């Protein structure tokens, strides 16, 4: 139905029904996730504590989203309990919120899905429409959830068009000569970082460094960016310095990166001349001009 929020249904049902409302809400968020609160904690029994809060929930793309408020009632904890810890192995439990939109009721519920004990436990799947608000690893032999440790990441809802800022950083605050020799074909993988994206995003890869050449020669350093152990096509550049002049370089590249967990790093090789000599610290006037080597990742928005 084509209508708008704030338009009540008339006697013929023309107006904003619940499904239309959920579809309008979905247009305002890039992904389901926690909005505020819903902090998971351990307890002295076999339930998990959960603070009151709000989440953007969805029973599926066609059903839109609901903004679910859970107040915890008189005892803010999961509705169901889990078993005591296995005698030999740990397990991972998934605490989640689900906002039903008709069946079996019209309420928001906070539950826990118990995992399978294992020497290398995996996170369990939750029911359709469930949004995980916390994973906890329960040790073997545990008689309550008080000793369960936080595990993994959860999704936080992103308002449509919002930026996530700087996602990761690795900074070498050291000076000295780089390894390798010119044109030997050796690649060096440095400044590795991990990061998580709740949706497909446009990500800026940025590498800054300051180097000079050794012994009044020239130095050319090749640079490219790696994502999940694969070179990003088109991301390479040659950075050059001549003589003992300390030169600061910046190389950037923007790529579309899919939702999920990722790793990134800088791939370097010596393209020509001497190996570069890196510099970090203050210049002769005492100002912090020499950056060493710094790799950063910035969110540049949702990939449309």
């Amino acid at each position: 139905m084509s209508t708008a929020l704030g338009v009540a249904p008339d006697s013929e049902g023309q107006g904003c029904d619940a499904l239309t409302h959920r579809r309008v809400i979905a247009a305002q968020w890039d992904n389901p996730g926690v909005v505020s609160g819903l902090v998971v904690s351990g307890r002295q029994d076999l339930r998990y504590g959960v603070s009151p809060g709000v989440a953007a929930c969805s029973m599926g793309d066609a059903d839109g989203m609901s903004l679910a408020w859970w107040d915890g009632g008189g005892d803010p904890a999961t509705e169901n309990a889990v078993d005591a810890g296995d005698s030999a192995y740990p397990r991972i439990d998934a605490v989640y919120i689900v906002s039903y939109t008709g069946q079996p009721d019209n309420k928001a519920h906070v539950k826990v899905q118990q995992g399978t004990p294992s020497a290398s436990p995996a996170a369990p799947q939750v029911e359709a429409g469930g949004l995980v608000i916390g994973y906890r690893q329960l040790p073997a032999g545990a008689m309550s959830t008080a000793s369960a440790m936080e595990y993994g990441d959860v999704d936080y809802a992103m308002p449509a068009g919002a930026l996530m800022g700087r996602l990761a950083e690795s900074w070498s605050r050291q000076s000295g000569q780089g390894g390798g020799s010119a044109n030997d074909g050796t690649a060096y993988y440095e400044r590795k970082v991990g990061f998580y994206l709740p949706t497909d995003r446009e990500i800026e890869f940025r590498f800054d460094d300051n180097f000079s050449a050794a012994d009044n020669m020239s130095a050319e350093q090749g640079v490219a960016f790696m994502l999940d152990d694969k070179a990003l096509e088109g991301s390479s550049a040659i950075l050059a310095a001549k003589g003992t002049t300390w030169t600061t370089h910046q190389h950037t590249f923007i790529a579309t990166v899919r939702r999920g967990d990722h790793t990134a790093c800088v791939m370097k090789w010596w393209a020509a001349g001497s190996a570069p000599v890196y510099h970090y610290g203050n210049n002769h006037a005492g100002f912090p001009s020499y950056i060493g080597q710094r790799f950063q990742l910035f969110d540049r928005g949702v990939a449309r």
Side-chain angles (χ1 to χ4, degrees):
M1 181 184 300
S2 298
T3 184
L5 296 187
V7 178
D10 59 20
S11 59
E12 296 181 355
Q14 301 298 309
C16 188
D17 58 10
L19 178 58
T20 303
H21 201 148
R22 293 195 299 272
R23 286 173 173 169
V24 173
I25 291 174
Q28 299 172 339
W29 297 89
D30 283 330
N31 63 290
V34 175
V35 176
S36 65
L38 301 176
V39 178
V40 177
S41 59
R43 290 168 47 112
Q44 296 301 320
D45 58 16
L46 288 170
R47 295 195 295 164
Y48 287 94
V50 180
S51 67
V54 176
C57 298
S58 178
M59 298 302 292
D61 291 344
D63 197 55
M65 289 185 191
S66 60
L67 284 175
W69 161 251
W70 185 79
D71 63 9
D75 186 12
T78 53
E79 296 177 2
N80 58 316
V82 294
D83 295 337
D86 182 74
S87 60
Y89 296 116
R91 71 166 190 261
I92 297 169
D93 296 334
V95 180
Y96 67 97
I97 184 171
V98 58
S99 178
Y100 297 127
T101 56
Q103 294 295 330
D105 56 35
N106 287 329
K107 297 180 180 180
H109 299 262
V110 168
K111 306 179 183 182
V112 56
Q113 178 63 51
Q114 180 174 308
T116 301
S118 171
S120 300
Q125 295 292 317
V126 301
E127 65 179 283
L131 173 74
V132 176
I133 57 176
Y135 293 105
R136 291 296 184 273
Q137 181 165 310
L138 191 74
M143 299 305 295
S144 75
T145 61
S147 59
M149 301 295 292
E150 185 174 357
Y151 176 89
D153 296 309
V154 299
D155 289 347
Y156 288 84
M158 292 289 297
L163 298 182
M164 298 173 63
R166 183 165 58 194
L167 301 172
E169 176 185 45
S170 178
W171 197 342
S172 173
R173 296 175 173 87
Q174 295 181 342
S175 299
Q177 183 166 314
S181 60
N183 299 313
D184 65 358
T186 301
Y188 296 83
Y189 303 91
E190 300 178 351
R191 315 263 65 83
K192 190 170 187 177
V193 296
F195 63 102
Y196 172 77
L197 301 178
T199 61
D200 297 352
R201 316 287 295 184
E202 299 291 339
I203 303 303
E204 177 186 336
F205 295 70
R206 181 186 299 178
F207 179 63
D208 298 90
D209 71 348
N210 183 286
F211 68 90
S212 64
D215 302 323
N216 289 317
M217 298 175 64
S218 63
E220 293 186 6
Q221 175 182 258
V223 175
F225 296 118
M226 304 284 292
L227 177 68
D228 300 330
D229 299 322
K230 295 181 180 179
L232 287 170
E233 184 177 357
S235 70
S236 62
I238 301 297
L239 311 180
K242 188 171 181 61
T244 56
T245 302
W246 294 5
T247 305
T248 296
H249 306 266
Q250 182 177 97
H251 177 50
T252 63
F253 184 76
I254 294 179
T256 300
V257 183
R258 300 303 180 190
R259 176 187 184 277
D261 292 295
H262 299 279
T263 61
C265 71
V266 178
M267 178 174 66
K268 301 191 303 184
W269 65 96
W270 314 142
S274 68
V277 180
Y278 298 106
H279 303 281
Y280 174 79
N282 299 338
N283 65 15
H284 297 298
F287 295 105
S289 300
Y290 307 125
I291 198 168
Q293 300 177 76
R294 188 183 191 187
F295 177 44
Q296 300 176 90
L297 299 177
F298 294 92
D299 174 45
R300 291 296 178 247
V302 179
R304 301 293 187 183

